[in-house]
Amino acid sequence: MCEDLGSDLSQQTTWVAPGETASFEVDATPGTYVRGRLHSLGHPFDLSLTDKTGMHVRRLLDDNTGAGQFHVVIGEQGQQFRALNDGDVGVEVTLEIERIVTPDEQIGKTTAYLSPAIAALAEGGDTDAFWAERAVQGTPMVEPSTQDGQIITTFLWRGAEKNVRLWGGPAADHMWMDRLGDTDVWYISFKMPDSGRLSYGFSPDVPQFDGSMRENRVALLATLQADPLNKTPVYSDAPDQWAQRSFFEAPNAPVQPGMVGQGDIAEGTIEPGLLRAVAFSDRRVDYYRPADFDPSDPSTVLLVMFDGPAYQTERAPIPKILDRLIADGRLPQVVVAFIDPVDADQRGVDLTCNPEFLDVLANDWLPQIESTLEIAPTAAQRVVSGSSYGGLASACLVHRHSRTFGNAVVLSGSFWWAPQGYEGQGTPYVSSLWMDDAPKDVRIWMSAGIYEISRLPGSVSIFETTRHLRDVLTLQGINDVTYREFVGGHDYLVWRGALAEGLLHLFGD
């Protein structure tokens, strides 16, 4: 057999009597990879590899009656293929060699570089020059893709000793990065749509130790920090890099209404307050009123916002967004009750479709909110919104109190959640609520990010369950259902724009 086959396939055919064998010699050096087939259609044959004396080395095919394929690495000079006719008649058998790769042609494990710049660096490029260019251009590094509407985005860290983990980014999980050889370059590349928007950070030299998977996972928080070469930090006035994160906006990321505007505009006011209810804990609230607020304006919209403090920060500056949209005449007067979640534990109790919390909000706190703001809106002028658990609570509130709240802007709702003991046979819990009872005269605007998919096999995600709820609401004939997907993840940098889009859809001109 010739090792350099080119485009021709090497094959040998011989007649074999029943119970007899045929040997096919292999002219190949030790270590050669051979892929082939034994053609014995309708007649059972065994194929083995033997040494030069005919002693069995390895069984390759058993009772082959078709065109069975085999793969083998030749162990020593002079080995042969031996075909045994297990049938009761003599027949022709053909051994076909499809591919031979000599040891010199074998290249070991291959590394494919999605980024052309990283590939060039791997070929011996100057890492100092590479980092100098990154310092000027900023990171992450963006390169064109051969596919329309896609880009290659590479996240980079310089100089870690043991490992680096990317927090956030265009993925469903926090991804481990690769080191380029023995250089100081740590990298991870993604092909992604050119309309993405996301926040991210790096955890270099994450402590890993003898502990549970979760313990080792959350250890990334110990070193999590901003990208030092990124030119658009989140929380730019934070006291240190560990308190900052980094912002990436792809070239064709959609415009976020109200994030920027022309000229100076009058700012609204923020007033703290306290909400009370019998047999329920007090709750802090911040009241937003736009500039020149007129409580007698009949078009005024009331927005009740969960996770209120988070939506008054640099990464989600909802008061400033509303200032601009109202000043530009794109929205009517909007006043906001930013409700404080207290802490993570209380948030997990209140916002997971808790009927007690939803009833207190609708029956006890809402009258206090409207009395403080001196407004009397209808259900059609009230809207509730929140993200994650807050999106879950928003959908549940509109379902439970549709005569009070006629609108919801649902941002990445945690519709994977279900109460303990729920057996829905695969139907998400909130979807089942709307399947059983669907108040029609409500309007729901909802969104999810394409990276909000599950990192664990077999578990449902925000992305999947939001789509499912959209379909249920549509089939149930809800008055107005709008669904929007963003190229992003579980991220306030996405939610700020989504909230503005939702309010414009529901109340804008």
Side-chain angles (χ1 to χ4, degrees):
M1 296 183 186
C2 177
E3 293 184 13
D4 185 10
L5 300 177
S7 60
D8 296 328
L9 299 180
S10 175
Q11 62 183 38
Q12 299 178 45
T13 300
T14 188
W15 188 90
V16 185
E20 299 296 322
T21 63
S23 294
F24 303 89
E25 294 188 2
V26 184
D27 183 15
T29 57
T32 296
Y33 165 72
V34 178
R35 185 187 78 220
R37 291 183 186 274
L38 184 70
H39 297 270
S40 60
L41 297 180
H43 301 277
F45 270 78
D46 297 338
L47 182 68
S48 300
L49 184 71
T50 67
D51 67 13
K52 59 185 177 182
T53 68
M55 295 295 292
H56 176 86
V57 173
R58 178 178 176 181
R59 179 61 57 84
L60 301 175
L61 294 172
D62 278 313
D63 289 328
N64 178 76
T65 58
Q69 189 176 65
F70 62 89
H71 307 261
V72 68
V73 174
I74 301 302
E76 62 182 30
Q77 197 73 38
Q79 288 185 331
Q80 304 174 52
F81 294 113
R82 178 167 292 182
L84 169 64
N85 184 349
D86 284 333
D88 54 8
V89 296
V91 294
E92 283 192 344
V93 65
T94 298
L95 184 77
E96 177 186 15
I97 301 301
E98 298 177 319
R99 183 71 188 269
I100 289 182
V101 183
T102 66
D104 291 341
E105 296 171 320
Q106 298 171 26
I107 58 177
K109 180 181 178 181
T110 60
T111 301
Y113 299 102
L114 185 60
S115 160
I118 294 296
L121 202 58
E123 291 294 324
D126 185 339
T127 56
D128 287 338
F130 174 80
W131 285 119
E133 185 176 4
R134 301 285 75 74
V136 172
Q137 295 183 358
T139 50
M141 179 172 64
V142 178
E143 298 171 280
S145 168
T146 56
Q147 186 176 350
D148 289 344
Q150 300 282 315
I151 55 174
I152 297 170
T153 305
T154 302
F155 297 82
L156 298 157
W157 181 267
R158 187 176 192 178
E161 292 295 326
K162 299 177 181 178
N163 59 61
V164 185
R165 196 163 191 176
L166 173 66
W167 176 90
D173 195 8
H174 309 310
M175 304 295 289
W176 292 105
M177 300 172 66
D178 292 319
R179 186 175 186 175
L180 186 63
D182 60 357
T183 72
D184 60 357
V185 178
W186 292 80
Y187 71 96
I188 186 168
S189 299
F190 302 89
K191 181 182 285 188
M192 62 178 290
D194 62 6
S195 55
R197 178 180 283 110
L198 52 89
S199 58
Y200 72 98
F202 291 117
S203 292
D205 293 321
V206 180
Q208 298 291 278
F209 44 86
D210 184 14
S212 68
M213 183 182 297
R214 175 160 180 78
E215 285 179 308
N216 278 275
R217 176 180 169 79
V218 299
L220 68 86
L221 299 174
T223 64
L224 180 59
Q225 57 194 276
D227 180 353
L229 297 181
N230 181 281
K231 297 184 180 297
T232 51
V234 181
Y235 304 130
S236 56
D237 58 351
D240 53 58
Q241 71 267 33
W242 288 278
Q244 287 184 338
R245 299 294 175 263
S246 300
F247 177 42
F248 172 63
E249 191 172 64
N252 290 322
V255 173
Q256 294 186 309
M259 275 302 298
V260 295
Q262 299 281 336
D264 295 330
I265 57 171
E267 295 183 357
T269 61
I270 303 290
E271 174 193 357
L274 194 65
L275 299 173
R276 300 181 183 275
V278 176
F280 203 85
S281 60
D282 295 345
R283 198 58 48 90
R284 289 175 49 202
V285 62
D286 288 324
Y287 295 106
Y288 162 83
R289 298 176 177 87
D292 303 319
F293 172 60
D294 178 6
S296 65
D297 186 339
S299 66
T300 299
V301 171
L302 169 63
L303 166 62
V304 174
M305 192 84 217
F306 297 124
D307 295 316
Y311 281 96
Q312 300 175 68
T313 65
E314 178 183 336
R315 62 178 177 170
I318 300 308
K320 292 184 180 298
I321 289 174
L322 291 176
D323 286 342
R324 295 189 183 99
L325 295 178
I326 295 169
D328 290 345
R330 300 181 66 185
L331 281 177
Q333 280 192 149
V334 178
V335 291
V336 188
F338 290 103
I339 297 179
D340 192 301
V342 181
D343 56 34
D345 290 340
Q346 187 64 44
R347 181 177 183 269
V349 172
D350 291 345
L351 300 186
T352 50
C353 284
N354 183 340
E356 182 184 12
F357 174 79
L358 300 178
D359 291 348
V360 165
L361 173 55
N363 300 327
D364 297 289
W365 290 350
L366 184 61
Q368 297 174 49
I369 291 169
E370 295 182 350
S371 175
T372 299
L373 294 170
E374 301 179 285
I375 59 173
T378 65
Q381 294 168 279
R382 298 189 187 109
V383 56
V384 61
S385 184
S387 50
S388 195
Y389 272 168
L392 173 68
S394 298
C396 289
L397 179 65
V398 170
H399 179 267
R400 187 175 178 86
H401 292 282
S402 60
R403 294 184 179 180
T404 303
F405 282 91
N407 306 273
V409 177
V410 178
L411 312 171
S412 300
S414 296
F415 299 126
W416 52 264
W417 177 89
Q420 188 173 5
Y422 171 70
E423 296 181 359
Q425 298 182 331
T427 300
Y429 174 71
V430 176
S431 290
S432 72
L433 292 180
W434 287 86
M435 289 168 67
D436 292 341
D437 176 26
K440 302 296 192 295
D441 195 22
V442 294
R443 307 176 71 201
I444 300 179
W445 191 99
M446 55 201 308
S447 67
I450 66 171
Y451 301 121
E452 294 185 286
I453 55 179
S454 177
R455 62 184 177 86
L456 300 174
S459 57
V460 295
S461 69
I462 285 174
F463 185 68
E464 294 170 315
T465 53
T466 300
R467 281 184 161 191
H468 189 276
L469 180 58
R470 171 209 53 193
D471 294 343
V472 169
L473 296 175
T474 302
L475 290 171
Q476 291 289 70
I478 304 306
N479 182 37
D480 184 349
V481 179
T482 302
Y483 173 67
R484 181 92 151 84
E485 289 179 2
F486 291 94
V487 181
H490 208 64
D491 199 330
Y492 283 94
L493 296 182
V494 174
W495 296 332
R496 68 190 187 189
L499 176 61
E501 286 193 27
L503 291 175
L504 287 169
H505 173 80
L506 295 171
F507 307 107
D509 293 334

